[in-house]
Amino acid sequence: MDKLIAIGGGPLSGKVRISGAKNAALPLMISSLLTKETLRISNIPHLHDITTTMELLGQLGVKLQVDETLAIEANASEVESVIAPYELVRTMRASILVLGPLTARFGRAEVSLPGGCAIGSRPVNLHIKGLEAMGADIKIENGYIKADTHNKRLKGARVFMDLISVTGTENLMMAAALADGITVIENAAREPEVIDLADCLNAMGAKVKGAGTDEIVIEGVEKLGGADHRVIPDRIEAGTFLVAAAISGGKIKIVDVIPRQIESVLDKLREAGCQIETGEDWISLSAPVGKLKSVNVRTAPYPAFPTDMQAQFVLLNCIAGGTATVIETVFENRFMHVHELQRMGADIELDGNTAVIKGVGNLFAAPVMATDLRASACLVLAGLVAEGETVIDRIYHIDRGYDCIEEKLAQMGASIRRVPGHYFSQQSA
Ligand code: EPU
């Protein structure tokens, strides 16, 4: 297992291109299961989760081709299996997204239950409840969700989501696209990634209306065709690079981004004292000359502040002047980075879903351990502003969701390198 070595230094500045969004690309690739025709998806990010999704689709019998621009062509005309095995689902929870499309097109699916994860228990009861409302018979056996429509087409239904769920909404939207009749998803997730999937489904011939609002109406069609779709930019990658510049006193321009999709994050960065300008597909940020101001944050589903930016803002508040409260309302256990930041000298009090952070100005290098994707990003950025050499262990998490992070940070002037697992820092020895 590789480690990353980050050495704290000067401002992180420059120009960075934002890659395609992981959380849009995964459901888009999986939507290829809904048709016999070829789906072409461009602007795919180079990530481990994409490789896992290709492996999963490949095991089901989907033929995949990737070209030199990282566009993927997926053809599911000869699906041989409807089973998503534990070995893949446990490494990537988004694998649950095959449940809806397989059940809708083939009348059967067996998908391993994902189990708990580093940020919370993350049940999938809403995915199951929605498919049951559409007529699927679902049993849990030997750790697997087994869905069966007994050779009938799924039928349209009114589904109320007790909690707003991103992949839950996407799973049901894909299933409903091929169902008989009209499905209404109430209390639907409004994330840009949900809209991107709806756009692609519509390009494939589906009839999805209302994506981006809390009520999505899907009129099922008998079959879907191929399409050519470009993945939207990764708003969380964009936010992460903006925070990198903000906490290091830098100046950055990010391109290939859709500014209105991270308005809540830009708002907090302005409140922290950063100067921000936006164009149609770019954002520039200049950190304040003096200290950043601390900012209170409360995570919630889109368009509110994203949970996937919470760890980065806990870090920002460690560097800022003043005291701030960060409240996590989406996942029950998403503060693992706090304990690692404390080891780097952060002053954070944790009480349930609330972190109270007193800005300390400077952090100090320490060996730290990444626990989930966004916590890893937070620790890498922490290393780049801390005094000394920080060794970040278990960085496979970061490779799941950040495209070429070292290269992009190095382009901004960061001192960062990857070393083999047996590396020990002189400082920590
Ligand atoms: N929930 C349930 N039952 C369900 C589904 C969800 O109780 O059936 C709960 C979850 O436990 C959680 C809340 O509802 O407390 C919201 O979870 P959601 O289903 O929206 O999360 P998700 O779809 O599993 C996606 C992203 C996450 C992101 C969340 C929230 C993908 C592949 N993953 O997860 O991304 O944090 O939405 O925005 O789209 C990441 O990229 O680092 C990441 C974790």
Side-chain angles (χ1 to χ4, degrees):
M1 261 186 241
D2 290 351
K3 298 177 184 178
L4 279 179
I5 311 291
I7 301 174
L12 300 173
S13 295
K15 187 170 167 184
V16 175
R17 192 192 92 81
I18 299 305
S19 301
K22 165 179 86 78
N23 290 346
L26 303 180
L28 287 168
M29 287 169 70
I30 288 173
S31 73
S32 65
L33 286 169
L34 290 164
T35 174
K36 280 186 171 172
E37 291 179 30
T38 300
L39 179 63
R40 181 175 188 277
I41 306 167
S42 57
N43 202 28
I44 295 271
H46 182 58
L47 304 172
H48 202 259
D49 272 8
I50 296 290
T51 318
T52 308
T53 306
M54 290 178 71
E55 202 178 324
L56 172 62
L57 291 173
Q59 281 195 16
L60 299 175
V62 180
K63 301 278 178 299
L64 295 154
Q65 276 190 334
V66 188
D67 73 16
E68 67 287 352
T69 65
L70 278 183
I72 289 183
E73 284 194 355
N75 183 290
S77 54
E78 286 166 34
V79 166
E80 295 145 8
S81 158
V82 291
I83 302 170
Y86 178 62
E87 296 70 51
L88 286 177
V89 180
R90 89 190 156 106
T91 60
M92 192 190 68
R93 302 181 58 87
S95 312
I96 186 72
L97 284 165
V98 302
L99 182 65
L102 287 175
T103 311
R105 182 155 161 230
F106 304 101
R108 264 178 3 94
E110 294 187 19
V111 180
S112 169
L113 272 169
C117 97
I119 60 177
S121 65
R122 302 183 76 183
V124 288
N125 57 311
L126 299 171
H127 303 234
I128 294 175
K129 187 184 127 190
L131 284 173
E132 280 175 338
M134 294 167 78
D137 186 10
I138 300 193
K139 292 192 182 73
I140 309 292
E141 274 174 12
N142 307 110
Y144 276 73
I145 306 164
K146 297 189 177 173
D148 199 335
T149 64
H150 306 289
N151 298 321
K152 289 199 207 102
R153 230 174 123 189
L154 286 175
K155 46 183 195 311
R158 183 167 278 272
V159 180
F160 179 80
M161 310 288 275
D162 300 335
L163 276 173
I164 297 176
S165 166
V166 178
T167 50
T169 302
E170 292 165 344
N171 223 341
L172 299 182
M173 200 162 76
M174 287 190 279
L178 283 183
D180 181 13
I182 292 177
T183 298
V184 180
I185 307 175
E186 288 185 74
N187 203 25
R190 292 183 281 166
E191 269 67 4
E193 293 75 17
V194 173
I195 304 178
D196 203 30
L197 176 62
D199 287 345
C200 179
L201 292 173
N202 285 337
M204 292 163 75
K207 293 183 177 168
V208 182
K209 286 195 185 131
T213 74
D214 60 5
E215 185 178 279
I216 303 180
V217 180
I218 306 118
E219 188 184 333
V221 295
E222 264 180 44
K223 61 176 188 182
L224 292 172
D228 191 343
H229 185 85
R230 187 173 199 275
V231 181
I232 54 167
D234 197 313
R235 62 196 166 97
I236 305 301
E237 188 198 16
T240 304
F241 283 110
L242 291 174
V243 169
I247 59 175
S248 63
K251 213 172 172 172
I252 189 178
K253 181 167 185 181
I254 54 173
V255 295
D256 272 4
V257 62
I258 303 176
R260 70 184 140 75
Q261 294 181 344
I262 48 167
E263 210 34 72
S264 60
V265 173
L266 296 183
D267 222 48
K268 286 292 163 189
L269 287 167
R270 281 191 195 101
E271 200 181 315
C274 299
Q275 229 181 42
I276 291 180
E277 280 177 45
T278 58
E280 200 184 326
D281 64 352
W282 58 266
I283 302 172
S284 68
L285 174 146
S286 300
V289 177
K291 263 192 172 180
L292 286 165
K293 286 183 230 135
S294 56
V295 285
N296 295 330
V297 167
R298 183 175 187 278
T299 69
Y302 191 84
F305 190 91
T307 170
D308 292 343
M309 283 300 300
Q310 179 257 102
Q312 300 87 320
F313 269 73
V314 167
L315 169 63
L316 182 145
N317 280 315
C318 294
I319 306 296
T323 300
T325 304
V326 173
I327 305 175
E328 171 59 54
T329 77
V330 180
F331 292 111
E332 68 270 23
N333 187 30
R334 207 177 197 179
F335 275 130
M336 303 292 273
H337 44 283
V338 163
H339 309 294
E340 300 300 296
L341 289 172
Q342 283 165 337
R343 301 182 50 251
M344 297 177 77
D347 183 347
I348 308 175
E349 261 182 52
L350 204 51
D351 183 8
N353 71 345
T354 304
V356 179
I357 305 138
K358 274 198 200 127
V360 289
N362 286 332
L363 294 175
F364 302 96
V368 290
M369 186 127 34
T371 47
D372 78 89
L373 173 54
R374 308 306 168 184
S376 320
C378 150
L379 295 175
V380 169
L381 299 193
L384 291 174
V385 292
E387 250 169 61
E389 178 184 281
T390 295
V391 182
I392 304 126
D393 203 349
R394 301 215 178 153
I395 52 145
Y396 56 88
H397 290 291
I398 213 157
D399 294 331
R400 291 188 46 202
Y402 284 91
D403 189 355
C404 301
I405 188 155
E406 298 124 89
E407 286 86 342
K408 289 188 183 186
L409 285 169
Q411 219 176 297
M412 292 170 70
S415 174
I416 183 165
R417 69 183 200 278
R418 194 174 283 246
V419 293
H422 52 75
Y423 178 90
F424 282 103
S425 162
Q426 293 307 312
Q427 217 164 277
S428 57

